[in-house]
Amino acid sequence: MNINRWIQRLAGLFVLVSLLLAHITGDVNLLKPTWLWIAVFVGFNLFQSSFTGFCPLAKILKAAGVKE
């Protein structure tokens, strides 16, 4: 599996986990907004990388030996 697939997979996982944590840790019918900052961070990184071509996760995955 290449880096782009890993980035898509991990970004989706982080967003889903942050939404799940916001739901679990919130009060009845309310979300705990602190966990939603993870989803904001992931979304911002995906957005900025579409313009700049720089992705922090791609650098980490390259250093870990994932093929491009």
Side-chain angles (χ1 to χ4, degrees):
M1 191 169 9
N2 63 15
I3 285 181
N4 289 334
R5 299 281 288 200
W6 272 106
I7 291 171
Q8 291 172 344
R9 183 169 289 170
L10 291 174
L13 178 67
F14 279 121
V15 169
L16 291 175
V17 166
S18 71
L19 293 174
L20 179 66
L21 288 171
H23 179 71
I24 289 173
T25 60
D27 294 336
V28 176
N29 295 327
L30 295 174
L31 295 177
K32 178 94 176 184
T34 307
W35 290 110
L36 297 177
W37 284 106
I38 296 171
V40 170
F41 177 75
V42 170
F44 176 77
N45 273 311
L46 289 171
F47 182 72
Q48 70 82 23
S49 70
S50 71
F51 290 105
T52 64
F54 173 74
C55 179
L57 182 57
K59 287 202 162 279
I60 293 168
L61 292 173
K62 283 180 189 175
V66 176
K67 66 178 181 174
E68 292 188 48

